[in-house]
Amino acid sequence: MRPRIIHFLDYHFHTAIFGWVIPDPAVVYAIMLTAGIIVFLKRCRTDDLERYHATGMVIWGSIAALLGARLFYLSQNMDLVIKDPAMLFQINGATVSFGVYIGGTLGIFLYSRKNRLNVLPYLDVLASVLGLGPLIG
């Protein structure tokens, strides 16, 4: 989608600047993840939740979210994967947002189960932070 937007804007404004102005999706993902982590950790501190476990949930949830996004995309496009199995190993491949939610939630639940935590207070804080992703995107 990004190349189409850039081409459209460059064509109509007779310039080539929009390739520099509109960020790459990987940059946007990094900004969304960083902003979400910062706000989540600050809100956990204000709610008197343990910072150690909040950080652990961030790490497990972030890794699981990235894996979930990629795996969900690959499962939705299995015909393309069968035609080109090298897609499995592409790092800068396509992702699906729904896989982020599934993977991230699974990662948080796995962390809380491993450490025998009550996950509900952390999920309450997380629910107030999740809107940042679509807002930044």
Side-chain angles (χ1 to χ4, degrees):
M1 185 68 163
R2 180 178 180 266
R4 291 181 189 166
I5 294 171
I6 292 171
H7 176 70
F8 175 82
L9 292 173
D10 283 345
Y11 177 77
H12 286 290
F13 288 97
H14 307 292
T15 184
I17 195 168
F18 290 101
W20 294 90
V21 174
I22 299 173
D24 189 60
V27 173
V28 177
Y29 293 159
I31 292 169
M32 290 187 304
L33 186 63
T34 304
I37 288 170
I38 291 169
V39 174
F40 177 74
L41 292 175
K42 284 188 179 200
R43 288 199 178 164
C44 282
R45 187 178 340 139
T46 59
D47 286 356
D48 293 329
L49 298 173
E50 289 188 49
R51 188 170 180 106
Y52 175 81
H53 290 302
T55 305
M57 285 184 186
V58 161
I59 293 169
W60 280 54
S62 298
I63 292 170
L66 294 172
L67 288 173
R70 185 66 178 152
L71 291 174
F72 197 83
Y73 172 80
L74 293 173
S75 68
Q76 293 293 312
N77 297 292
M78 192 57 72
D79 55 330
L80 296 174
V81 174
I82 291 171
K83 289 179 186 175
D84 183 20
M87 282 181 66
L88 293 171
F89 304 107
Q90 291 176 350
I91 293 174
N92 196 15
T95 58
V96 176
S97 297
F98 198 65
V100 171
Y101 301 126
I102 293 172
T105 304
L106 183 64
I108 289 171
F109 277 116
L110 288 173
Y111 179 84
S112 63
R113 183 175 172 102
K114 178 183 177 281
N115 292 292
R116 297 185 179 135
L117 292 174
N118 180 11
V119 72
L120 294 179
Y122 293 96
L123 289 179
D124 189 34
V125 173
L126 181 64
S128 68
V129 175
L130 282 180
L132 284 176
L135 175 73
I136 292 171

